[in-house]
Amino acid sequence: MTAAIVTPVRRLVVCGAGLIGGSFALALKAAGLVERVVGIGRTRASLERARELGVVDEIALDWPTALAGADVVLLAMPVGQSNDVMAAMAPHLAAETLVTDAGSTKRDVIEAIYAHLDGHLGQVVPAHPIAGAEKSGADAAFATLYRGRNVVVTPLPENDPAAVQRIRALWEACGATVREMSPQDHDRVFAAVSHLPHLLAFGLVHDLAGRANAEQLFSFAASGFRDFTRIAGSHPEMWRDICLANRHALLAELDQYLGELAYLRALLMSGDGDRLETLFGEAREARNRWAEKTFPS
Amino acid sequence: MTAAIVTPVRRLVVCGAGLIGGSFALALKAAGLVERVVGIGRTRASLERARELGVVDEIALDWPTALAGADVVLLAMPVGQSNDVMAAMAPHLAAETLVTDAGSTKRDVIEAIYAHLDGHLGQVVPAHPIAGAEKSGADAAFATLYRGRNVVVTPLPENDPAAVQRIRALWEACGATVREMSPQDHDRVFAAVSHLPHLLAFGLVHDLAGRANAEQLFSFAASGFRDFTRIAGSHPEMWRDICLANRHALLAELDQYLGELAYLRALLMSGDGDRLETLFGEAREARNRWAEKTFPS
């Protein structure tokens, strides 16, 4: 285990003490790697709840208070707030304070970093923990959320290697596997395997819920529908921000998928059972091979 | 419980002793409502396996043998075989033998009934048990599959009410809730809540699996992707048949959904965060309301 050689964080600031930020705090607490967690965010009630639950130890109502003596800051609010948050914290950020984030998109977060934290580029390490989040808030946070999960780190060229190493080590102490990639690759990959499926699931439920016979339709939906639409239970603001931040890659994926649907439509129109069966068979094989490897039972 | 007043089946013939047919047999056995189960189907090895597992008691290699003395026949093979199977069984079917099916589509099955079993219309009751089936085969069958599930019965105008009642009672004895609807409504409803989601999931996995960077993409896919694509692990032949049999309703649903995607695409293009968030919020609310009611934890 690498946890033994990680220097504990004396003062961790979590901006957005919800599922993602809260679980990071709880995981570091469980690993004995943080002395004090400070929560900051938009909503006083959410912060109070996080303190009640022991997710954070104290609440800060402004950045000067939060950042005084902070050695690590995790930005875990919806990515649409990156510019506002970074602009607000920048004047109070000490040179030695390490900053990282948990945003589901990376190019937009990095743009905000260059815009607002350009005096701190050695110490600001962008990252993205890949953890399911259809529940949200401090109540949903738990210490083992990141165990066995991937965390993607997309270091800046300006990053101090020691800063990158420290962020990696903290995530590894949470039980995660850290993988590095470029922000461009990150945003393209997650447009395909995460952002597009969310869009498709939101769209299907929205489509059906608006029908005159919506109640009848839902009354016959079963477990396949439940699983297919689970991600349509995700946080609307978070997903609005992700879709907007990554819209170029997401549009490219959507268009590629519309091409696939046009092909399927043509097979249905012409009643081409052979090609349908082949396509379904290839999908089944790829899906089951992946699932057996990734989620061994 | 209604089970107490159901007359036991002396000889049940199951055509296709897989997940669906096998689980029906096991459920009736568990309820003490069947004396002998006979399996018939295309593949000798599958039937042998079903007998080994105790899902069927005996194997029939031809219809005259299977149907001799049968009081109930369940057709549980892929719907694309309806015509062939009904044509083969018709000459050997006794007037008093009750026939039902488990097809996921109803209009095509009913067409086959009128084409091949028109001398038996009083005794042939179309039905569809709504039970997840991404695993298949006798090995996947279990006695409680139908507990708490819906079974849709779409009676023919010619059906003897006693025949409909008996089929209902047998499914209720398996623990299912029986609901009646017209075959037209059935096929439209399931195109929306089942067939389209299957097509979308197969299509997404097929699209990604064909990419040059497929391995990279899958290596970052997580639990959201796993659940969204679970139904892409379904049986390719079964789903080919369903898609072809119900292609008019499925095309109508696909086109409606393509309209929804065109709307989402426009919102992404114009960066309309407000409308995206509203749409996601409506979908989340509808999905969670449905899921909490349907799958109380």
Side-chain angles (χ1 to χ4, degrees), chain A residues 179 200 206 211 218-219 226-227 230 233 240 247 253 255-257 260 265 268-269 277 284 287 290, chain B residues 179 200 206-207 211 218-219 226-227 230 233 240 247 253 255 257 260 265 268-269 277 284 287 290:
Chain A
R179 301 169 68 178
L200 299 178
H206 179 256
R211 307 281 184 91
F218 282 113
S219 79
R226 177 194 60 201
D227 292 351
R230 182 174 69 77
R240 174 201 70 188
R247 69 195 174 111
E253 285 301 326
D255 286 345
Q256 167 101 13
Y257 185 66
E260 177 81 21
R265 191 178 187 287
L268 288 173
M269 286 291 281
E277 187 178 359
R284 177 196 222 191
R287 196 273 171 189
W290 166 77
Chain B
R179 300 169 68 178
L200 299 179
H206 179 256
D207 176 10
R211 307 281 183 90
F218 282 113
S219 80
R226 176 194 60 201
D227 291 349
R230 182 175 67 79
R240 174 201 69 188
R247 71 195 172 110
E253 285 300 326
D255 287 346
Y257 185 66
E260 177 81 21
R265 191 177 187 287
L268 288 173
M269 287 292 281
E277 187 179 358
R284 179 197 221 190
R287 196 272 170 190
W290 166 76

Tab-separated table of all heavy atoms in Angstrom, chain A residues 179 200 206 211 218-219 226-227 230 233 240 247 253 255-257 260 265 268-269 277 284 287 290, chain B residues 179 200 206-207 211 218-219 226-227 230 233 240 247 253 255 257 260 265 268-269 277 284 287 290:
chain	number	residue	atom	x	y	z
A	179	ARG	N	-4.920	7.094	-13.500
A	179	ARG	CA	-4.451	6.982	-14.883
A	179	ARG	C	-4.283	8.394	-15.444
A	179	ARG	O	-5.117	9.262	-15.212
A	179	ARG	CB	-5.463	6.178	-15.699
A	179	ARG	CG	-5.647	4.766	-15.110
A	179	ARG	CD	-6.819	4.033	-15.718
A	179	ARG	NE	-6.577	3.702	-17.122
A	179	ARG	CZ	-7.442	3.015	-17.862
A	179	ARG	NH1	-8.604	2.614	-17.355
A	179	ARG	NH2	-7.162	2.751	-19.115
A	200	LEU	N	-28.734	10.256	-23.785
A	200	LEU	CA	-29.703	9.329	-24.376
A	200	LEU	C	-30.747	8.883	-23.351
A	200	LEU	O	-31.930	8.766	-23.668
A	200	LEU	CB	-28.984	8.096	-24.942
A	200	LEU	CG	-27.960	8.354	-26.051
A	200	LEU	CD1	-27.303	7.044	-26.474
A	200	LEU	CD2	-28.598	9.059	-27.244
A	206	HIS	N	-37.563	11.652	-20.909
A	206	HIS	CA	-38.278	12.898	-21.191
A	206	HIS	C	-39.311	12.694	-22.299
A	206	HIS	O	-40.454	13.160	-22.210
A	206	HIS	CB	-37.283	13.984	-21.594
A	206	HIS	CG	-37.944	15.289	-21.927
A	206	HIS	ND1	-38.101	15.726	-23.217
A	206	HIS	CD2	-38.506	16.226	-21.137
A	206	HIS	CE1	-38.733	16.899	-23.201
A	206	HIS	NE2	-38.978	17.219	-21.953
A	211	ARG	N	-45.709	11.926	-23.051
A	211	ARG	CA	-46.805	11.348	-23.838
A	211	ARG	C	-48.136	11.400	-23.080
A	211	ARG	O	-48.157	11.330	-21.853
A	211	ARG	CB	-46.520	9.872	-24.132
A	211	ARG	CG	-45.192	9.581	-24.768
A	211	ARG	CD	-45.187	9.876	-26.243
A	211	ARG	NE	-43.894	9.471	-26.783
A	211	ARG	CZ	-43.650	8.247	-27.270
A	211	ARG	NH1	-44.595	7.327	-27.305
A	211	ARG	NH2	-42.454	7.946	-27.729
A	218	PHE	N	-45.241	3.754	-18.426
A	218	PHE	CA	-44.386	3.485	-17.268
A	218	PHE	C	-44.884	2.269	-16.485
A	218	PHE	O	-44.084	1.551	-15.882
A	218	PHE	CB	-44.305	4.716	-16.353
A	218	PHE	CG	-43.358	5.781	-16.871
A	218	PHE	CD1	-43.818	7.014	-17.292
A	218	PHE	CD2	-41.991	5.540	-16.929
A	218	PHE	CE1	-42.950	7.989	-17.772
A	218	PHE	CE2	-41.109	6.507	-17.406
A	218	PHE	CZ	-41.595	7.734	-17.833
A	219	SER	N	-46.206	2.042	-16.524
A	219	SER	CA	-46.731	0.923	-15.730
A	219	SER	C	-46.302	-0.426	-16.294
A	219	SER	O	-46.400	-1.447	-15.608
A	219	SER	CB	-48.258	1.002	-15.624
A	219	SER	OG	-48.860	0.514	-16.806
A	226	ARG	N	-35.479	0.040	-16.129
A	226	ARG	CA	-34.917	0.607	-14.894
A	226	ARG	C	-33.408	0.811	-15.023
A	226	ARG	O	-32.876	1.880	-14.709
A	226	ARG	CB	-35.207	-0.335	-13.721
A	226	ARG	CG	-34.581	0.138	-12.399
A	226	ARG	CD	-34.587	-0.970	-11.358
A	226	ARG	NE	-33.822	-2.112	-11.844
A	226	ARG	CZ	-33.957	-3.358	-11.393
A	226	ARG	NH1	-34.840	-3.630	-10.463
A	226	ARG	NH2	-33.217	-4.339	-11.890
A	227	ASP	N	-32.709	-0.212	-15.512
A	227	ASP	CA	-31.251	-0.108	-15.591
A	227	ASP	C	-30.818	0.854	-16.696
A	227	ASP	O	-29.889	1.637	-16.519
A	227	ASP	CB	-30.637	-1.493	-15.819
A	227	ASP	CG	-30.812	-2.377	-14.597
A	227	ASP	OD1	-31.237	-1.868	-13.542
A	227	ASP	OD2	-30.533	-3.582	-14.698
A	230	ARG	N	-31.267	4.355	-15.349
A	230	ARG	CA	-30.755	4.724	-14.019
A	230	ARG	C	-30.037	6.075	-14.058
A	230	ARG	O	-30.233	6.934	-13.209
A	230	ARG	CB	-29.815	3.652	-13.463
A	230	ARG	CG	-29.304	3.992	-12.056
A	230	ARG	CD	-28.481	2.876	-11.433
A	230	ARG	NE	-27.195	2.651	-12.075
A	230	ARG	CZ	-26.101	3.420	-11.916
A	230	ARG	NH1	-26.143	4.486	-11.129
A	230	ARG	NH2	-24.976	3.136	-12.531
A	233	GLY	N	-31.534	9.527	-13.637
A	233	GLY	CA	-31.796	10.045	-12.294
A	233	GLY	C	-30.684	10.961	-11.799
A	233	GLY	O	-30.694	11.397	-10.656
A	240	ARG	N	-26.166	19.418	-17.003
A	240	ARG	CA	-26.228	20.592	-17.884
A	240	ARG	C	-24.815	21.130	-18.096
A	240	ARG	O	-24.373	21.348	-19.233
A	240	ARG	CB	-27.104	21.676	-17.229
A	240	ARG	CG	-27.105	22.985	-17.997
A	240	ARG	CD	-27.530	24.154	-17.115
A	240	ARG	NE	-26.502	24.451	-16.115
A	240	ARG	CZ	-26.646	25.312	-15.112
A	240	ARG	NH1	-27.792	25.947	-14.943
A	240	ARG	NH2	-25.658	25.525	-14.259
A	247	ARG	N	-19.510	20.188	-25.112
A	247	ARG	CA	-20.506	20.012	-26.163
A	247	ARG	C	-19.923	19.694	-27.530
A	247	ARG	O	-20.572	19.008	-28.321
A	247	ARG	CB	-21.486	21.177	-26.234
A	247	ARG	CG	-20.929	22.485	-26.725
A	247	ARG	CD	-21.935	23.581	-26.369
A	247	ARG	NE	-21.429	24.886	-26.670
A	247	ARG	CZ	-21.909	25.658	-27.649
A	247	ARG	NH1	-22.904	25.243	-28.396
A	247	ARG	NH2	-21.398	26.847	-27.862
A	253	GLU	N	-19.982	12.829	-30.843
A	253	GLU	CA	-20.444	11.485	-30.466
A	253	GLU	C	-21.915	11.279	-30.816
A	253	GLU	O	-22.321	10.225	-31.279
A	253	GLU	CB	-20.233	11.243	-28.967
A	253	GLU	CG	-18.809	10.985	-28.586
A	253	GLU	CD	-18.219	9.766	-29.298
A	253	GLU	OE1	-18.956	8.791	-29.554
A	253	GLU	OE2	-17.021	9.799	-29.608
A	255	ASP	N	-23.579	12.715	-33.157
A	255	ASP	CA	-23.732	12.580	-34.610
A	255	ASP	C	-23.290	11.203	-35.091
A	255	ASP	O	-23.917	10.610	-35.980
A	255	ASP	CB	-22.986	13.700	-35.331
A	255	ASP	CG	-23.727	15.033	-35.189
A	255	ASP	OD1	-24.913	15.015	-34.789
A	255	ASP	OD2	-23.130	16.087	-35.457
A	256	GLN	N	-22.220	10.721	-34.498
A	256	GLN	CA	-21.788	9.358	-34.847
A	256	GLN	C	-22.894	8.348	-34.486
A	256	GLN	O	-23.215	7.438	-35.253
A	256	GLN	CB	-20.503	9.041	-34.076
A	256	GLN	CG	-20.089	7.589	-34.074
A	256	GLN	CD	-18.978	7.274	-35.054
A	256	GLN	OE1	-18.325	8.161	-35.590
A	256	GLN	NE2	-18.774	5.986	-35.295
A	257	TYR	N	-23.481	8.542	-33.314
A	257	TYR	CA	-24.539	7.643	-32.867
A	257	TYR	C	-25.791	7.780	-33.742
A	257	TYR	O	-26.456	6.781	-34.045
A	257	TYR	CB	-24.875	7.937	-31.401
A	257	TYR	CG	-25.882	6.989	-30.805
A	257	TYR	CD1	-25.578	5.645	-30.631
A	257	TYR	CD2	-27.143	7.427	-30.404
A	257	TYR	CE1	-26.497	4.760	-30.079
A	257	TYR	CE2	-28.068	6.559	-29.852
A	257	TYR	CZ	-27.734	5.224	-29.687
A	257	TYR	OH	-28.654	4.356	-29.146
A	260	GLU	N	-25.330	5.577	-36.526
A	260	GLU	CA	-25.633	4.187	-36.149
A	260	GLU	C	-27.151	3.949	-36.153
A	260	GLU	O	-27.634	2.933	-36.669
A	260	GLU	CB	-25.059	3.911	-34.750
A	260	GLU	CG	-25.341	2.533	-34.179
A	260	GLU	CD	-24.400	1.456	-34.696
A	260	GLU	OE1	-23.294	1.798	-35.173
A	260	GLU	OE2	-24.773	0.261	-34.637
A	265	ARG	N	-32.151	1.924	-38.452
A	265	ARG	CA	-33.456	2.257	-39.034
A	265	ARG	C	-33.597	1.638	-40.421
A	265	ARG	O	-34.651	1.085	-40.779
A	265	ARG	CB	-33.604	3.778	-39.096
A	265	ARG	CG	-34.998	4.241	-39.432
A	265	ARG	CD	-35.102	5.765	-39.437
A	265	ARG	NE	-36.502	6.140	-39.610
A	265	ARG	CZ	-37.173	6.034	-40.742
A	265	ARG	NH1	-36.564	5.573	-41.824
A	265	ARG	NH2	-38.451	6.376	-40.808
A	268	LEU	N	-34.241	-2.035	-40.157
A	268	LEU	CA	-35.641	-2.282	-39.790
A	268	LEU	C	-36.552	-2.080	-40.999
A	268	LEU	O	-37.442	-2.897	-41.263
A	268	LEU	CB	-36.077	-1.348	-38.663
A	268	LEU	CG	-35.526	-1.616	-37.268
A	268	LEU	CD1	-35.944	-0.484	-36.321
A	268	LEU	CD2	-36.029	-2.958	-36.731
A	269	MET	N	-36.332	-0.987	-41.716
A	269	MET	CA	-37.171	-0.665	-42.877
A	269	MET	C	-37.133	-1.789	-43.902
A	269	MET	O	-38.151	-2.149	-44.485
A	269	MET	CB	-36.681	0.631	-43.541
A	269	MET	CG	-36.993	1.900	-42.784
A	269	MET	SD	-38.750	2.315	-42.738
A	269	MET	CE	-38.954	3.037	-44.383
A	277	GLU	N	-29.295	-9.345	-36.649
A	277	GLU	CA	-28.810	-10.364	-35.710
A	277	GLU	C	-27.291	-10.288	-35.555
A	277	GLU	O	-26.761	-10.425	-34.451
A	277	GLU	CB	-29.234	-11.757	-36.190
A	277	GLU	CG	-28.904	-12.829	-35.164
A	277	GLU	CD	-29.351	-14.226	-35.600
A	277	GLU	OE1	-29.939	-14.353	-36.693
A	277	GLU	OE2	-29.093	-15.170	-34.835
A	284	ARG	N	-23.541	-7.772	-28.192
A	284	ARG	CA	-23.626	-8.625	-27.007
A	284	ARG	C	-22.248	-9.140	-26.611
A	284	ARG	O	-21.881	-9.129	-25.436
A	284	ARG	CB	-24.543	-9.820	-27.312
A	284	ARG	CG	-24.625	-10.780	-26.158
A	284	ARG	CD	-25.197	-12.128	-26.576
A	284	ARG	NE	-26.134	-12.610	-25.563
A	284	ARG	CZ	-26.636	-13.834	-25.536
A	284	ARG	NH1	-26.333	-14.704	-26.470
A	284	ARG	NH2	-27.463	-14.205	-24.586
A	287	ARG	N	-20.061	-6.314	-25.241
A	287	ARG	CA	-20.556	-5.851	-23.954
A	287	ARG	C	-20.259	-6.876	-22.848
A	287	ARG	O	-19.786	-6.527	-21.770
A	287	ARG	CB	-22.067	-5.592	-24.056
A	287	ARG	CG	-22.634	-4.773	-22.930
A	287	ARG	CD	-23.017	-5.624	-21.756
A	287	ARG	NE	-23.354	-4.809	-20.606
A	287	ARG	CZ	-23.554	-5.306	-19.406
A	287	ARG	NH1	-23.467	-6.601	-19.200
A	287	ARG	NH2	-23.835	-4.518	-18.399
A	290	TRP	N	-16.487	-7.088	-22.022
A	290	TRP	CA	-16.095	-5.938	-21.198
A	290	TRP	C	-16.615	-6.085	-19.766
A	290	TRP	O	-15.871	-5.891	-18.798
A	290	TRP	CB	-16.635	-4.649	-21.821
A	290	TRP	CG	-16.585	-3.482	-20.891
A	290	TRP	CD1	-15.473	-2.759	-20.566
A	290	TRP	CD2	-17.663	-2.927	-20.135
A	290	TRP	NE1	-15.803	-1.783	-19.648
A	290	TRP	CE2	-17.133	-1.867	-19.365
A	290	TRP	CE3	-19.028	-3.222	-20.026
A	290	TRP	CZ2	-17.928	-1.104	-18.504
A	290	TRP	CZ3	-19.810	-2.459	-19.170
A	290	TRP	CH2	-19.260	-1.414	-18.430
B	179	ARG	N	-52.423	-8.840	-16.527
B	179	ARG	CA	-53.131	-7.655	-17.025
B	179	ARG	C	-53.545	-7.936	-18.467
B	179	ARG	O	-52.788	-8.488	-19.240
B	179	ARG	CB	-52.213	-6.443	-16.939
B	179	ARG	CG	-51.776	-6.183	-15.491
B	179	ARG	CD	-50.667	-5.171	-15.385
B	179	ARG	NE	-51.130	-3.827	-15.766
B	179	ARG	CZ	-50.349	-2.741	-15.715
B	179	ARG	NH1	-49.089	-2.846	-15.323
B	179	ARG	NH2	-50.816	-1.572	-16.062
B	200	LEU	N	-31.450	0.810	-28.800
B	200	LEU	CA	-30.514	1.897	-28.494
B	200	LEU	C	-29.256	1.371	-27.805
B	200	LEU	O	-28.148	1.831	-28.081
B	200	LEU	CB	-31.196	2.940	-27.587
B	200	LEU	CG	-32.431	3.636	-28.159
B	200	LEU	CD1	-33.012	4.609	-27.134
B	200	LEU	CD2	-32.111	4.350	-29.469
B	206	HIS	N	-22.439	-1.409	-30.236
B	206	HIS	CA	-21.922	-1.737	-31.569
B	206	HIS	C	-21.098	-0.591	-32.128
B	206	HIS	O	-20.018	-0.791	-32.700
B	206	HIS	CB	-23.090	-2.067	-32.497
B	206	HIS	CG	-22.652	-2.403	-33.892
B	206	HIS	ND1	-22.783	-1.523	-34.940
B	206	HIS	CD2	-22.060	-3.507	-34.397
B	206	HIS	CE1	-22.301	-2.087	-36.044
B	206	HIS	NE2	-21.859	-3.288	-35.742
B	207	ASP	N	-21.612	0.620	-31.964
B	207	ASP	CA	-20.908	1.813	-32.437
B	207	ASP	C	-19.519	1.909	-31.792
B	207	ASP	O	-18.494	2.040	-32.487
B	207	ASP	CB	-21.785	3.034	-32.092
B	207	ASP	CG	-21.131	4.368	-32.432
B	207	ASP	OD1	-20.084	4.369	-33.099
B	207	ASP	OD2	-21.674	5.402	-32.021
B	211	ARG	N	-14.902	1.118	-33.068
B	211	ARG	CA	-13.930	2.201	-33.161
B	211	ARG	C	-12.494	1.677	-33.082
B	211	ARG	O	-12.230	0.670	-32.420
B	211	ARG	CB	-14.104	3.187	-31.999
B	211	ARG	CG	-15.487	3.732	-31.815
B	211	ARG	CD	-15.794	4.837	-32.789
B	211	ARG	NE	-17.124	5.367	-32.494
B	211	ARG	CZ	-17.334	6.385	-31.648
B	211	ARG	NH1	-16.319	6.984	-31.049
B	211	ARG	NH2	-18.556	6.813	-31.421
B	218	PHE	N	-13.628	1.404	-23.760
B	218	PHE	CA	-14.218	0.479	-22.792
B	218	PHE	C	-13.459	0.501	-21.466
B	218	PHE	O	-14.039	0.279	-20.407
B	218	PHE	CB	-14.265	-0.946	-23.362
B	218	PHE	CG	-15.395	-1.163	-24.337
B	218	PHE	CD1	-15.159	-1.400	-25.681
B	218	PHE	CD2	-16.711	-1.138	-23.899
B	218	PHE	CE1	-16.204	-1.600	-26.573
B	218	PHE	CE2	-17.766	-1.333	-24.781
B	218	PHE	CZ	-17.518	-1.566	-26.126
B	219	SER	N	-12.142	0.783	-21.550
B	219	SER	CA	-11.358	0.745	-20.309
B	219	SER	C	-11.740	1.880	-19.356
B	219	SER	O	-11.400	1.837	-18.174
B	219	SER	CB	-9.861	0.777	-20.610
B	219	SER	OG	-9.445	2.097	-20.893
B	226	ARG	N	-22.325	0.339	-17.623
B	226	ARG	CA	-22.697	-1.064	-17.386
B	226	ARG	C	-24.220	-1.219	-17.333
B	226	ARG	O	-24.795	-2.085	-17.989
B	226	ARG	CB	-22.090	-1.546	-16.059
B	226	ARG	CG	-22.501	-2.971	-15.692
B	226	ARG	CD	-22.172	-3.275	-14.241
B	226	ARG	NE	-22.890	-2.358	-13.356
B	226	ARG	CZ	-22.558	-2.074	-12.111
B	226	ARG	NH1	-21.498	-2.635	-11.578
B	226	ARG	NH2	-23.267	-1.217	-11.383
B	227	ASP	N	-24.884	-0.348	-16.567
B	227	ASP	CA	-26.330	-0.488	-16.423
B	227	ASP	C	-27.059	-0.097	-17.707
B	227	ASP	O	-28.013	-0.755	-18.109
B	227	ASP	CB	-26.822	0.363	-15.251
B	227	ASP	CG	-26.328	-0.203	-13.928
B	227	ASP	OD1	-25.799	-1.327	-13.924
B	227	ASP	OD2	-26.471	0.484	-12.904
B	230	ARG	N	-26.747	-3.008	-20.097
B	230	ARG	CA	-27.039	-4.380	-19.660
B	230	ARG	C	-27.902	-5.117	-20.694
B	230	ARG	O	-27.637	-6.271	-21.031
B	230	ARG	CB	-27.735	-4.402	-18.290
B	230	ARG	CG	-28.005	-5.822	-17.791
B	230	ARG	CD	-28.578	-5.858	-16.388
B	230	ARG	NE	-29.916	-5.316	-16.269
B	230	ARG	CZ	-31.035	-5.958	-16.610
B	230	ARG	NH1	-31.000	-7.175	-17.140
B	230	ARG	NH2	-32.222	-5.384	-16.441
B	233	GLY	N	-26.711	-7.126	-23.690
B	233	GLY	CA	-26.254	-8.501	-23.511
B	233	GLY	C	-27.352	-9.508	-23.828
B	233	GLY	O	-27.175	-10.708	-23.639
B	240	ARG	N	-33.649	-9.958	-32.739
B	240	ARG	CA	-33.886	-9.821	-34.177
B	240	ARG	C	-35.367	-10.073	-34.470
B	240	ARG	O	-36.038	-9.275	-35.136
B	240	ARG	CB	-33.030	-10.849	-34.934
B	240	ARG	CG	-33.307	-10.876	-36.426
B	240	ARG	CD	-32.855	-12.186	-37.067
B	240	ARG	NE	-33.707	-13.291	-36.622
B	240	ARG	CZ	-33.479	-14.575	-36.887
B	240	ARG	NH1	-32.412	-14.936	-37.578
B	240	ARG	NH2	-34.300	-15.509	-36.442
B	247	ARG	N	-41.764	-4.214	-36.151
B	247	ARG	CA	-40.971	-3.120	-36.698
B	247	ARG	C	-41.763	-1.860	-36.987
B	247	ARG	O	-41.207	-0.764	-36.915
B	247	ARG	CB	-40.162	-3.566	-37.918
B	247	ARG	CG	-40.922	-3.849	-39.170
B	247	ARG	CD	-40.000	-4.618	-40.105
B	247	ARG	NE	-40.690	-5.101	-41.261
B	247	ARG	CZ	-40.510	-4.623	-42.487
B	247	ARG	NH1	-39.647	-3.649	-42.693
B	247	ARG	NH2	-41.173	-5.125	-43.494
B	253	GLU	N	-41.594	4.514	-32.828
B	253	GLU	CA	-40.930	4.942	-31.591
B	253	GLU	C	-39.534	5.500	-31.865
B	253	GLU	O	-39.112	6.488	-31.271
B	253	GLU	CB	-40.814	3.779	-30.598
B	253	GLU	CG	-42.118	3.432	-29.921
B	253	GLU	CD	-42.694	4.604	-29.128
B	253	GLU	OE1	-41.923	5.402	-28.565
B	253	GLU	OE2	-43.928	4.728	-29.083
B	255	ASP	N	-38.511	6.924	-34.568
B	255	ASP	CA	-38.620	8.238	-35.201
B	255	ASP	C	-39.000	9.320	-34.188
B	255	ASP	O	-38.495	10.443	-34.242
B	255	ASP	CB	-39.607	8.191	-36.369
B	255	ASP	CG	-39.003	7.452	-37.570
B	255	ASP	OD1	-37.771	7.234	-37.556
B	255	ASP	OD2	-39.735	7.078	-38.487
B	257	TYR	N	-38.196	9.219	-31.084
B	257	TYR	CA	-36.968	9.418	-30.296
B	257	TYR	C	-35.929	10.224	-31.077
B	257	TYR	O	-35.228	11.067	-30.514
B	257	TYR	CB	-36.402	8.059	-29.881
B	257	TYR	CG	-35.202	8.149	-28.970
B	257	TYR	CD1	-35.333	8.662	-27.685
B	257	TYR	CD2	-33.947	7.722	-29.388
B	257	TYR	CE1	-34.234	8.751	-26.836
B	257	TYR	CE2	-32.848	7.799	-28.543
B	257	TYR	CZ	-32.999	8.321	-27.270
B	257	TYR	OH	-31.913	8.400	-26.435
B	260	GLU	N	-36.662	13.665	-30.507
B	260	GLU	CA	-36.155	14.100	-29.198
B	260	GLU	C	-34.650	14.394	-29.271
B	260	GLU	O	-34.173	15.399	-28.751
B	260	GLU	CB	-36.426	12.986	-28.163
B	260	GLU	CG	-35.890	13.245	-26.766
B	260	GLU	CD	-36.784	14.152	-25.921
B	260	GLU	OE1	-37.988	14.262	-26.241
B	260	GLU	OE2	-36.262	14.759	-24.960
B	265	ARG	N	-29.986	17.937	-29.637
B	265	ARG	CA	-28.855	18.393	-30.451
B	265	ARG	C	-28.911	19.909	-30.650
B	265	ARG	O	-27.900	20.607	-30.549
B	265	ARG	CB	-28.891	17.677	-31.800
B	265	ARG	CG	-27.636	17.873	-32.628
B	265	ARG	CD	-27.698	17.083	-33.935
B	265	ARG	NE	-26.404	17.186	-34.606
B	265	ARG	CZ	-25.957	18.274	-35.205
B	265	ARG	NH1	-26.704	19.373	-35.244
B	265	ARG	NH2	-24.745	18.293	-35.762
B	268	LEU	N	-27.842	21.659	-27.517
B	268	LEU	CA	-26.380	21.636	-27.388
B	268	LEU	C	-25.741	22.646	-28.327
B	268	LEU	O	-24.838	23.399	-27.941
B	268	LEU	CB	-25.842	20.236	-27.714
B	268	LEU	CG	-26.093	19.130	-26.687
B	268	LEU	CD1	-25.635	17.787	-27.255
B	268	LEU	CD2	-25.357	19.419	-25.380
B	269	MET	N	-26.205	22.663	-29.581
B	269	MET	CA	-25.640	23.571	-30.585
B	269	MET	C	-25.747	25.021	-30.126
B	269	MET	O	-24.821	25.808	-30.294
B	269	MET	CB	-26.386	23.414	-31.915
B	269	MET	CG	-26.083	22.146	-32.677
B	269	MET	SD	-24.401	22.066	-33.334
B	269	MET	CE	-24.573	23.128	-34.791
B	277	GLU	N	-31.220	21.950	-18.641
B	277	GLU	CA	-31.414	21.631	-17.223
B	277	GLU	C	-32.871	21.299	-16.923
B	277	GLU	O	-33.169	20.380	-16.158
B	277	GLU	CB	-30.936	22.804	-16.357
B	277	GLU	CG	-30.949	22.457	-14.877
B	277	GLU	CD	-30.455	23.604	-13.998
B	277	GLU	OE1	-30.057	24.656	-14.542
B	277	GLU	OE2	-30.476	23.429	-12.761
B	284	ARG	N	-35.416	13.340	-14.718
B	284	ARG	CA	-35.025	12.788	-13.426
B	284	ARG	C	-36.235	12.567	-12.532
B	284	ARG	O	-36.378	11.533	-11.890
B	284	ARG	CB	-34.059	13.762	-12.732
B	284	ARG	CG	-33.626	13.282	-11.375
B	284	ARG	CD	-33.031	14.400	-10.535
B	284	ARG	NE	-31.862	13.907	-9.797
B	284	ARG	CZ	-31.253	14.580	-8.837
B	284	ARG	NH1	-31.661	15.784	-8.503
B	284	ARG	NH2	-30.223	14.062	-8.205
B	287	ARG	N	-38.409	9.704	-13.822
B	287	ARG	CA	-37.736	8.414	-13.676
B	287	ARG	C	-37.709	7.983	-12.202
B	287	ARG	O	-38.006	6.838	-11.881
B	287	ARG	CB	-36.310	8.527	-14.222
B	287	ARG	CG	-35.635	7.209	-14.479
B	287	ARG	CD	-34.935	6.696	-13.255
B	287	ARG	NE	-34.482	5.335	-13.418
B	287	ARG	CZ	-34.018	4.598	-12.419
B	287	ARG	NH1	-33.948	5.101	-11.212
B	287	ARG	NH2	-33.634	3.371	-12.619
B	290	TRP	N	-41.203	6.996	-10.908
B	290	TRP	CA	-41.552	5.658	-11.404
B	290	TRP	C	-40.760	4.576	-10.661
B	290	TRP	O	-41.324	3.581	-10.203
B	290	TRP	CB	-41.280	5.569	-12.906
B	290	TRP	CG	-41.283	4.161	-13.422
B	290	TRP	CD1	-42.388	3.386	-13.657
B	290	TRP	CD2	-40.144	3.350	-13.730
B	290	TRP	NE1	-41.992	2.141	-14.092
B	290	TRP	CE2	-40.637	2.095	-14.136
B	290	TRP	CE3	-38.762	3.565	-13.695
B	290	TRP	CZ2	-39.790	1.049	-14.518
B	290	TRP	CZ3	-37.911	2.535	-14.068
B	290	TRP	CH2	-38.435	1.293	-14.479
